[in-house]
């Protein structure tokens, strides 16, 4: 135990001095936080300008518009339509002159082949699809009336064929305090767990390859057992992973706190502490499973480049779980979501995703955690076998096949 | 010059004629296909079959409502009691009642169990409208149901935008910007790792015994640009092929009328080429200063993040595409392609701005190639150490 703790402490010290860890754990979240805050500020200013423009605008500019009807479709203007709001012009030049003179806010150009294409273009000086609105109902009504031969009552009926009186027999559900954060929270939790699992794993692989290259590991192996080595290194990187997650969450909290109203956490939302406790449990189990496998990759790979394809294959279950959880959120109690949340290789992200989305029976939560820790125990034991001197000394290329054969003791 | 081509040719062959290039060719189309498949799967999983009854006491419906969606079915009942019993028995999810006085007051009742979707309501609404339009010419009926295809031409922006959801063609500049970012990401990873590996195994020392560091860097950058163009050509061919299949074989509606603005696309390509040259030169320059492949990957990831900053500023750029910030981002080589793509959605960006962005990127790219050569020379024998700006400047002063 003492040797395991010593390896752990040494690994933590080395990692904290490593530039790559400092970049991922501190520089990148800070940089992203600053970028997010800057962007939030720019977008907020843009939104405030738009709102101020809308509030300060005088009479609606679309109150008076013209139209040019080259195909002569519009022959009837019903008496009950506010005819003074739509002025007919014989050609585009006349309409454009009226627009330039400020007599109208804009004008419609009805395509001569309207019946086939339906094309109607409203021409105006400036228009932003993001912040400006345009009321075209009058023109649409006029077009429909004339399309139907001037029959205004039929056009009115076609525009609104009925008024529906709906009666729902479904049980009345109290209106919930739904907000963007309630909808995104399960996905967010899954993402945090996913990142917390894979980033320390990548650092672990690189650290082990470095130690193999400079032969430090061979010296270490003369005084510690493979199991102590694996446990110490995996635990150290797991702790650093937690530290890194805390830093990332701190940056996100700062963005929510200081990033303006659009990014702020809605009132009434609080982090469920029970969920956070379960997240810690599943992180430990999941990290032990994947961290041990990453340690095995680091022990076998001669250089970093050869670890990529194998790392990807080892991570495949968790990537698949992450991808499919977005779909499984629609039915978090369905058999697909339950299976993903109980399978040890996917449960760390899938169970947290389900817990954030719905209420999970306690026996399922406990069973998933138990299965995870049992699997982690066996994988750590199998991985320790890889640290035997003969594997560390070989320079053979690493493939997924050779990795799994070695893991299962068939190499 | 011939030595530069030799290096470029070697780099091109080395990067293109290997298995990872083939993987890269298929990686992005497969990734996009996976995203689309996940979206489709999610939509299918949300869909539930719905059976809805209707009671036509006014006897106005000439035919039963028919939905394009095979998950929705309508069943006629002779009386309200029958429909109510079917709903209570769970045979249907709801029923419409058209009372005998419907032609006079146009009121319809809908009783449901909470599972009647918007698609059901739209189908019933269209059926009623078709019934009212009975007797009109088919072309008139279709136009009356579809309504006008309204668009707005903003004179100041020289751009016509549809008031409904724009077609896929309008988003082609953004797709091009995404391809550009993927190319940079792919090339950054390959190039920086190659640079770091060649430094580690000391191949570079042998090569620079016969050519200058500047020639070496220029050759590598040109080779990488060639590799990126080959990759982009493969992606484009696959994209065109899949689009053709989608439009003509699978008959996807949203691919039927692809209205692509050729002017914007051509101008964006004009900017993309020198911008990529700049990015490649920047990556090589960084690759020449880093110690190992891991460090190189981290720097590549930060460069990728900067390319996407204009996407996060979508609202600000979209609302005011001619703002000084938008123009400044359009001229900065790292963000020019993405910014111009975003602005092109909302206005016709003046051709002069595209040309200016291309020129800035070209000049910056050439300057970066020169700098890459200098950095490489200064850092060549510093094994296991990075290079700081101060050291580079000191080296220049003493040289």
């Amino acid at each position: 135990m003492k040797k395991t703790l010593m390896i752990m402490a040494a690994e933590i010290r080395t990692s904290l001095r490593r530039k790559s860890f400092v970049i991922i754990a501190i520089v990148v979240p800070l940089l992203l936080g600053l970028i997010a805050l800057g962007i939030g500020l720019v977008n907020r200013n843009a939104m405030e300008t738009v709102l101020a423009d809308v509030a300060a605008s005088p009479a609606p500019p679309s109150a008076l518009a013209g139209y040019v009807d080259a195909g002569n479709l519009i022959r009837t203007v019903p008496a009950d339509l506010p005819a003074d709001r739509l002025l007919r012009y014989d050609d585009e030049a006349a309409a454009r002159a009226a627009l330039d003179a400020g007599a109208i806010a804009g004008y419609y150009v009805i395509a001569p082949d309207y019946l086939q294409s339906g094309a109607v273009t409203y021409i105006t000086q400036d228009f932003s699809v993001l912040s400006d609105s345009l009321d075209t109902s009058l023109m649409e009504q006029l077009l429909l009336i004339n399309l139907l031969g001037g029959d205004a009552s039929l056009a009115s009926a076609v525009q609104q064929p009925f008024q529906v009186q709906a009666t729902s027999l479904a049980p009345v559900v109290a209106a919930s305090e739904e907000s963007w954060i309630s909808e995104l929270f399960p996905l967010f939790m899954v993402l945090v767990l996913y990142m917390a699992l894979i980033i320390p794993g990548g650092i672990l692989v690189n650290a082990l390859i470095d130690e193999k290259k400079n032969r430090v590991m061979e010296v270490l192996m003369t005084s510690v057992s493979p199991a102590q080595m694996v446990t110490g290194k995996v635990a150290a990187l797991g702790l650093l992973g937690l530290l890194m997650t805390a830093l990332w969450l701190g940056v996100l909290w700062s963005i929510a706190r200081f990033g303006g109203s659009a990014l702020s956490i809605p009132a009434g939302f609080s982090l469920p502490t029970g969920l956070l406790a379960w997240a810690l449990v599943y992180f430990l189990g999941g990290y032990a499973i994947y961290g041990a496998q990453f340690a095995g990759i680091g022990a076998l790979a001669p250089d970093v480049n050869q670890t990529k394809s194998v790392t990807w294959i080892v991570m495949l279950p968790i990537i698949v779980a992450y991808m499919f959880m977005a779909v499984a959120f629609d039915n978090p109690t369905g058999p697909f979501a339950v299976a993903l949340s109980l399978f040890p290789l996917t449960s760390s992200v899938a169970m947290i995703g389900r817990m954030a989305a719905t209420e999970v029976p306690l026996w399922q939560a406990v069973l998933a955690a138990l299965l995870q820790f049992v699997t982690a125990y066996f994988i750590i034991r199998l991985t320790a076998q890889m640290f035997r001197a003969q594997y560390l000394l070989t320079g053979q290329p690493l493939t997924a096949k050779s990795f799994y054969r070695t893991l299962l003791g068939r190499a | 010059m011939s030595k530069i081509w030799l290096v470029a040719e070697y780099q091109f062959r080395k990067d293109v004629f290997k298995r990872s290039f083939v993987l890269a060719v298929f990686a992005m189309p497969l990734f996009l296909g996976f995203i689309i498949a996940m979206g489709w799967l999610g939509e299918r999983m949300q869909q539930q079959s719905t059976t809805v009854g209707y009671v036509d006491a006014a006897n106005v419906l000439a035919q039963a409502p028919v939905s394009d969606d095979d998950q929705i079915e309508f069943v006629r009942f002779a009386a309200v009691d029958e429909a109510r019993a079917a709903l209570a028995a769970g045979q249907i999810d709801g029923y419409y009642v058209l009372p005998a006085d419907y032609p006079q007051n146009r009121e319809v009742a809908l009783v449901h169990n909470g599972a009647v979707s918007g698609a059901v309501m739209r189908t019933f609404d269209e059926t009623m409208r078709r019934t009212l339009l009975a007797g009109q010419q088919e072309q008139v009926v279709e136009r009356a149901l579809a309504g006008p295809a309204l668009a707005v031409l903003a004179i100041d922006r020289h751009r016509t935008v549809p008031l409904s959801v724009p077609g896929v063609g309008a988003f082609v500049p953004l797709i091009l910007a995404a391809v550009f970012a993927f190319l940079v990401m792919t090339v950054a990873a390959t190039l920086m790792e190659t640079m770091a590996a060649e430094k580690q195994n000391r191949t570079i020392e042998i090569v620079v015994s016969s050519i200058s560091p500047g020639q070496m860097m220029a050759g590598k950058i040109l080779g990488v640009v060639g590799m990126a163009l080959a990759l982009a050509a493969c992606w484009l061919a696959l994209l065109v092929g899949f689009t053709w299949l989608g439009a003509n074989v699978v008959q996807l509606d949203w691919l039927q009328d692809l209205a692509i603005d050729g002017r914007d696309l051509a101008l964006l390509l004009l900017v993309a080429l020198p911008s990529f040259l700049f990015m490649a030169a920047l990556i090589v320059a960084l690759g020449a200063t880093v110690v190992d492949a891991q460090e190189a990957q981290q720097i590549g990831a930060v460069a990728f993040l900067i390319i996407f900053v204009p996407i996060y500023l979508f609202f600000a750029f979209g609302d005011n595409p001619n703002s000084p910030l938008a123009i400044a981002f359009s001229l900065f080589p790292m963000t020019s392609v993405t910014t111009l793509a975003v602005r092109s959605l909302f206005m016709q960006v003046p051709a002069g701005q595209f040309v200016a962005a291309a020129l800035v990127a070209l000049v910056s790219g050439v300057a970066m190639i020169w700098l890459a050569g200098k950095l490489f020379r200064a850092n060549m024998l510093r094994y296991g150490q990075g290079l700081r700006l101060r050291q580079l400047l000191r080296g220049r002063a003493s040289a």
Side-chain angles (χ1 to χ4, degrees):
Chain A
M1 189 66 190
K2 193 180 168 188
K3 285 181 178 174
T4 307
L5 288 174
M6 282 174 70
I7 289 175
M8 209 174 135
E11 189 62 40
I12 288 173
R13 274 198 304 273
T14 314
S15 295
L16 286 175
R17 284 197 210 111
R18 194 172 281 133
K19 200 159 69 174
S20 58
F21 181 83
V22 175
I23 290 175
I24 290 181
I26 298 166
V27 177
V28 173
L30 280 178
L31 194 67
L32 284 177
L34 286 174
I35 290 174
L37 282 175
I39 287 168
L41 199 65
V42 171
N43 279 338
R44 188 174 56 171
N45 289 342
M47 201 177 286
E48 282 169 0
T49 308
V50 168
L51 292 174
D53 287 349
V54 170
S57 62
S62 59
L64 196 61
Y67 66 90
V68 179
D69 180 18
N72 206 20
L73 173 74
I74 296 177
R75 294 165 188 237
T76 309
V77 179
D80 59 334
L81 278 188
D84 58 328
R85 281 179 58 198
L86 277 176
L87 305 175
R88 182 174 190 136
Y89 292 92
D90 290 336
D91 52 42
E92 275 200 69
R96 181 63 188 265
L99 176 66
D100 291 342
I104 52 174
Y107 58 93
Y108 296 93
V109 176
I110 303 161
D113 64 340
Y114 174 77
L115 198 59
Q116 291 84 35
S117 68
V120 177
T121 307
Y122 180 76
I123 298 169
T124 185
Q125 205 62 43
D126 194 18
F127 183 82
S128 165
V129 283
L130 293 178
S131 57
D132 293 332
S133 61
L134 181 66
D135 181 9
T136 58
S137 58
L138 201 60
M139 176 48 74
E140 288 180 53
Q141 194 181 352
L142 194 61
L143 285 168
L144 187 59
I145 289 169
N146 285 277
L147 198 62
L148 299 175
D151 189 340
S153 63
L154 177 60
S156 171
V158 169
Q159 271 190 322
Q160 190 175 15
F162 54 81
Q163 284 190 323
V164 67
Q165 289 185 331
T167 308
S168 175
L169 303 180
V172 179
V173 180
S176 60
E177 292 292 325
E178 284 296 320
S179 62
W180 63 267
I181 202 157
S182 305
E183 288 176 14
L184 291 181
F185 187 62
L187 204 59
F188 174 74
M189 284 301 294
V190 167
L191 182 66
V192 168
L193 255 288
Y194 175 76
M195 299 298 283
L197 285 174
I198 62 166
I199 292 177
I203 297 171
L204 180 64
V205 171
N206 288 310
L208 282 166
I209 289 172
D210 281 352
E211 285 188 1
K212 266 181 69 182
K213 268 186 187 167
N214 59 26
R215 305 282 190 260
V216 170
M217 192 172 284
E218 286 170 37
V219 180
L220 282 173
M221 294 292 283
T222 58
S223 55
V224 298
S225 71
Q228 286 170 327
M229 172 78 96
V230 176
T231 312
K233 284 191 175 292
V234 170
L237 267 300
L239 275 178
L240 290 175
L242 277 179
L243 173 72
M244 194 175 66
T245 309
L247 281 170
W248 277 83
L249 289 176
V251 168
L252 288 175
W253 179 85
S254 305
I255 292 170
R257 177 75 179 76
F258 304 109
S261 55
L263 298 169
S264 63
I265 294 172
F269 180 82
S270 61
L271 276 178
T273 46
L275 180 68
L276 291 180
W278 277 112
L280 186 65
V281 171
Y282 291 119
F283 167 76
L284 291 175
Y287 180 73
I289 291 173
Y290 283 97
Q293 291 184 81
F294 285 137
I297 293 171
L300 292 183
D303 61 61
V304 177
N305 287 335
Q306 291 195 27
T307 62
K308 283 180 191 164
S309 58
V310 184
T311 307
W312 196 84
I313 290 169
V314 165
M315 278 167 35
L316 206 55
I318 209 162
I319 293 171
V320 168
Y322 176 66
M323 292 292 186
F324 276 93
M325 275 318 285
V327 177
F329 286 144
D330 290 328
N331 189 9
T333 52
F336 181 60
V338 172
L340 276 180
S341 65
L342 291 178
F343 183 56
L345 296 182
T346 54
S347 56
S348 41
V349 294
M351 183 57 89
I352 283 304
R354 278 187 67 207
M355 283 181 162
T358 187
E359 198 165 325
V360 175
L362 184 65
W363 69 266
Q364 287 185 8
V366 174
L367 178 63
L370 276 176
L371 287 173
Q372 253 195 350
F373 283 103
V374 170
T375 309
Y377 171 76
F378 282 109
I379 287 185
I380 288 174
R381 283 197 59 160
L382 290 170
T383 309
Q385 307 297 315
M386 292 179 171
F387 278 73
R388 278 182 287 169
Q390 64 262 41
Y391 296 133
L392 299 174
L393 293 173
T394 54
Q396 292 174 0
L398 178 68
T399 62
K401 191 179 171 186
S402 67
F403 172 75
Y404 282 111
R405 283 180 69 86
T406 313
L407 184 70
L408 299 172
R410 292 177 186 166
Chain B
M1 192 64 191
S2 63
K3 285 181 178 174
I4 293 178
W5 284 117
L6 271 174
V7 176
E9 189 185 340
Y10 170 76
Q11 186 72 34
F12 180 80
R13 284 172 179 276
K14 191 178 154 203
D15 290 336
V16 172
F17 300 118
K18 64 179 183 181
R19 201 167 52 178
S20 62
F21 181 80
V22 180
L23 287 174
V25 166
F26 290 103
M28 197 185 77
L30 283 175
F31 175 72
L32 286 176
F34 180 74
I35 297 291
I36 292 169
M38 290 299 290
W40 178 82
L41 188 65
E43 202 175 303
R44 291 294 297 179
M45 286 178 77
Q46 279 185 320
Q47 281 182 353
Q48 292 175 336
S49 63
T50 312
T51 307
V52 181
Y54 67 97
V55 181
D56 186 8
N59 208 21
V60 291
L61 282 178
Q63 59 182 38
V66 179
S67 171
D68 294 337
D69 187 346
D70 56 5
Q71 302 278 325
I72 298 172
E73 189 189 355
F74 282 88
V75 182
R76 180 169 186 158
F77 291 94
V80 175
D81 290 344
E82 286 179 30
R84 190 182 298 134
L87 179 61
Q91 294 165 347
I92 56 174
D93 297 297
Y95 61 88
Y96 280 97
V97 179
L98 280 91
D101 60 354
Y102 164 76
Q104 286 79 48
N105 59 21
R106 299 202 183 284
E107 283 185 358
V108 169
L110 168 64
V111 183
H112 62 97
N113 61 5
V116 175
S117 64
V120 171
M121 294 181 189
R122 280 194 297 277
T123 303
F124 193 77
D125 184 81
E126 189 181 317
T127 305
M128 294 299 294
R129 294 169 76 196
R130 278 190 186 278
T131 303
L132 290 165
L133 289 166
Q136 301 283 340
Q137 287 177 22
E138 185 58 27
Q139 213 171 16
V140 171
V141 172
E142 294 308 321
R143 177 50 51 209
L145 289 174
L150 278 156
V152 178
L153 167 60
I155 296 167
D156 289 350
R157 299 185 185 215
H158 305 282
R159 172 68 79 217
T160 304
V161 288
L163 281 182
S164 56
V165 179
V168 178
F171 294 102
V172 166
L174 273 188
I175 295 170
L176 183 70
V179 169
F180 177 82
F182 270 106
L183 268 181
V184 170
M185 190 172 70
T186 309
V187 169
T190 310
L191 192 55
M192 291 181 95
E193 282 164 28
T194 307
M195 292 290 295
E198 284 185 1
K199 271 173 70 183
Q200 276 174 346
N201 63 25
R202 320 242 159 135
T203 309
I204 271 182
E205 282 173 41
I206 300 164
V207 178
V208 291
S209 63
S210 56
I211 62 171
S212 73
Q215 286 175 319
M216 169 95 174
M217 290 294 108
K220 278 199 171 292
I221 292 162
L222 285 178
V224 162
V225 171
M227 183 267 255
L229 285 176
L231 193 57
C234 292
W235 282 349
L236 187 68
L238 283 170
L239 197 66
V240 170
F242 285 135
T243 307
W244 185 86
L245 278 176
N248 299 298
V249 179
V250 191
Q251 302 277 327
L252 293 171
D253 289 342
W254 50 280
L255 286 178
Q256 291 305 315
D257 293 313
L258 273 182
I260 298 170
D261 190 327
R263 171 198 175 272
D264 280 359
L265 202 59
L267 287 169
L268 207 54
L269 282 172
L270 179 76
V271 179
L273 278 172
S275 294
F276 189 83
L277 178 76
F278 171 81
M279 291 301 292
L282 179 70
I283 291 161
V284 169
L286 291 171
T289 60
V290 296
V291 178
D292 56 27
Q294 194 189 352
E295 203 179 322
Q297 283 170 4
Q298 287 160 359
I299 295 171
V302 174
F304 185 68
L305 280 176
I306 296 172
I307 294 175
F308 268 114
V309 166
I311 299 290
Y312 306 131
L313 292 167
F314 188 87
F315 187 85
F317 287 173
D319 192 53
N320 196 358
N322 252 335
S323 66
L325 185 69
I327 293 172
F329 268 68
S330 301
L331 297 176
F332 183 52
M334 286 181 88
T335 53
S336 56
V337 174
T338 326
T339 308
L340 287 166
V342 170
R343 290 175 68 205
S344 296
L345 295 179
F346 301 97
M347 68 173 290
Q348 193 179 66
V349 181
Q353 289 188 22
F354 279 100
V355 174
L359 282 175
V360 170
L362 187 63
V363 172
S364 311
V366 172
M368 193 55 74
I369 292 173
W370 173 83
L371 184 66
K374 296 290 169 198
L375 284 170
F376 172 69
R377 190 176 168 185
N379 198 39
M380 197 162 53
L381 297 174
R382 297 170 60 86
Y383 292 104
Q385 295 175 57
L387 183 68
R388 291 167 196 273
L389 186 63
R390 198 192 312 161
Q391 290 166 331
L392 175 71
L393 294 174
R394 197 187 304 151
R396 288 285 301 153
S398 61

